[in-house]
Amino acid sequence: MPAEIAGSRIIVTGGQGFLGGAVCRALEAAGCEHVFAASHAVHDLTTESGANRLMREAFPGHAPEIVIHLAARVGGIQANADRPGDFFRDNMAMTLNVIEACRRAGLGNDRGKLVYIASTGCYPKLAPVPHREEDLWAGYPDPSIASYAVAKRAAFTMLESYRTQFGLRSAFLMPINLYGPGDHFEDPAGHVIPALVRRFSEAQARWDKEAVCWGSGSPTREFLYVDDAAQAILRAVERIDTPTPINIGTGQEVSIRQVTQMIAQLVGFQGLIHWDKTKPDGSARRTIDTAKARRLLEWEATTPLRQGLQQTISWYRARYPAPQTVPA
Ligand code: GDP
């Protein structure tokens, strides 16, 4: 990490969260000494006053120089279906408040930088697979996550506008589905990997004969290990000044059925897997082209899925030890 970045005052919004924790650890490992991990419990970024207060209070008496905006209302397929209004309002409000608060705090005129984290869920439902950045605006997102996706897409236009009018330097990254240590294992409406790590671990501990997974198992996804995503974000801090959508992923497409089998095997669950077709499948395929990240960030994911899952399961077991039981 170049010395001028390592010496910068850096705010990480969502810094206490899953990806935020990994980003803060990576910044510290790269020699950054002035990192403020913001938390929504203290600074509510859905309000203008919360965002402005964060900029003032993170480094009292000094403005931030780099802002990495990770805070978002996120959730799995079920949470998006149940509360689309919350997803739209909160993500739209955070986008508007954080970008404007950065400008007010003095980022702009080619000073400082904002790294904005969106998601590959922003792509049109019918975008060719693997998704390429130039197709971002070629159609409406999958209705199952449209509220979240449209709110995050809007940020790109705001960042371009602020670059043009105020000289605000920024990067716009679109990570694919993340997983890893620190994920939300307790959320019944969470994403597929933490949900299945927990469900299979509990089923294995109880010697259950069957475990239930959602949908048909045939959709495909791509999964990125959280520490790999953090490294991509550090590269964007170093190298990107002008907002352009950049996919962050592995380029490896895998079916939900394959991931399910891998997790079952790694936790030692030997029962049957039942697919509950009353639960939604969501997008049929999701995988991205990662050539632009390789070119602009000179970054590539390095953790293979099986190894990342193993590390995730080890972390989960250390954090949530299973009660010892014997077969009935
Ligand atoms: P998505 O990637 O935005 O669609 O969000 P999810 O991570 O919630 O779901 C990914 C895929 O995994 C969908 O096809 C789900 O039907 C499937 N899936 C299978 N079992 C589960 C589960 O227990 N929880 C979740 N969230 N998804 C599951």
Side-chain angles (χ1 to χ4, degrees):
M1 174 78 65
E4 74 273 15
I5 295 179
S8 300
R9 292 180 294 276
I10 306 175
I11 292 178
V12 182
T13 75
Q16 317 267 346
F18 167 45
L19 176 57
V23 168
C24 290
R25 286 193 299 277
L27 287 167
E28 278 152 30
C32 299
E33 289 174 3
H34 312 291
V35 177
F36 184 86
S39 154
H40 66 88
V42 182
H43 296 103
D44 177 1
L45 303 177
T46 64
T47 68
E48 190 182 355
S49 60
N52 288 333
R53 210 159 47 72
L54 170 62
M55 300 296 155
R56 284 198 309 275
E57 292 177 355
F59 304 100
H62 298 279
E65 292 157 304
I66 295 171
V67 175
I68 301 176
H69 180 46
L70 306 171
R73 180 182 278 274
V74 294
I77 201 164
Q78 192 66 54
N80 276 273
D82 293 344
R83 299 191 306 279
D86 289 347
F87 278 81
F88 189 85
R89 183 198 57 236
D90 289 350
N91 288 306
M92 204 64 241
M94 280 189 255
T95 293
L96 200 58
N97 293 330
V98 169
I99 298 175
E100 170 61 6
C102 285
R103 184 192 72 78
R104 284 175 182 233
L107 271 72
N109 300 320
D110 290 323
R111 282 195 311 273
K113 187 181 294 184
L114 169 61
V115 174
Y116 186 97
I117 311 303
S119 155
T120 46
C122 293
Y123 275 105
K125 178 178 167 68
L126 300 178
V129 181
H131 299 334
R132 294 169 60 105
E133 288 88 346
E134 59 261 38
D135 292 324
L136 181 58
W137 297 95
Y140 199 68
D142 191 293
S144 66
I145 48 165
S147 323
Y148 167 86
V150 171
K152 297 298 271 183
R153 265 190 197 184
F156 179 75
T157 306
M158 185 163 177
L159 291 172
E160 268 200 323
S161 311
Y162 272 47
R163 178 76 176 131
T164 305
Q165 188 177 344
F166 306 118
L168 177 68
R169 300 193 298 175
S170 60
F172 185 84
L173 306 183
M174 297 191 294
I176 195 82
N177 298 28
L178 300 177
Y179 73 101
D183 207 341
H184 307 285
F185 292 93
E186 284 168 354
D187 182 0
H191 283 285
V192 59
I193 289 185
L196 294 187
V197 166
R198 178 176 173 176
R199 195 167 312 141
F200 284 129
S201 299
E202 291 178 351
Q204 193 263 350
R206 290 191 302 258
W207 299 83
D208 288 354
K209 296 194 169 51
E210 186 180 283
V212 177
C213 295
W214 297 0
S216 64
S218 59
T220 66
R221 294 289 183 273
E222 179 180 318
F223 296 99
L224 177 65
Y225 192 61
V226 68
D227 290 331
D228 286 345
Q231 289 304 325
I233 291 170
L234 264 59
R235 289 294 174 92
V237 169
E238 281 175 39
R239 288 163 202 241
I240 306 295
D241 285 338
T242 302
T244 179
I246 304 176
N247 288 339
I248 304 295
T250 62
Q252 312 253 304
E253 185 175 13
V254 56
S255 75
I256 294 298
R257 192 177 295 276
Q258 286 171 305
V259 182
T260 301
Q261 283 163 354
M262 247 188 241
I263 297 173
Q265 194 205 6
L266 288 168
V267 304
F269 173 72
Q270 290 174 350
L272 291 174
I273 295 172
H274 173 75
W275 294 95
D276 177 359
K277 305 236 171 63
T278 66
K279 294 284 190 187
D281 263 346
S283 318
R285 285 183 75 190
R286 193 179 304 148
T287 181
I288 53 175
D289 186 308
T290 54
K292 193 168 172 184
R294 282 201 299 279
R295 187 160 46 81
L296 295 185
L297 304 179
E298 293 182 61
W299 166 88
E300 241 177 323
T302 55
T303 312
L305 182 58
R306 180 174 285 276
Q307 181 191 327
L309 287 174
Q310 182 65 71
Q311 287 164 198
T312 306
I313 291 165
S314 301
W315 186 93
Y316 173 82
R317 284 190 168 151
R319 187 57 66 102
Y320 304 93
Q324 293 299 312
T325 55
V326 289

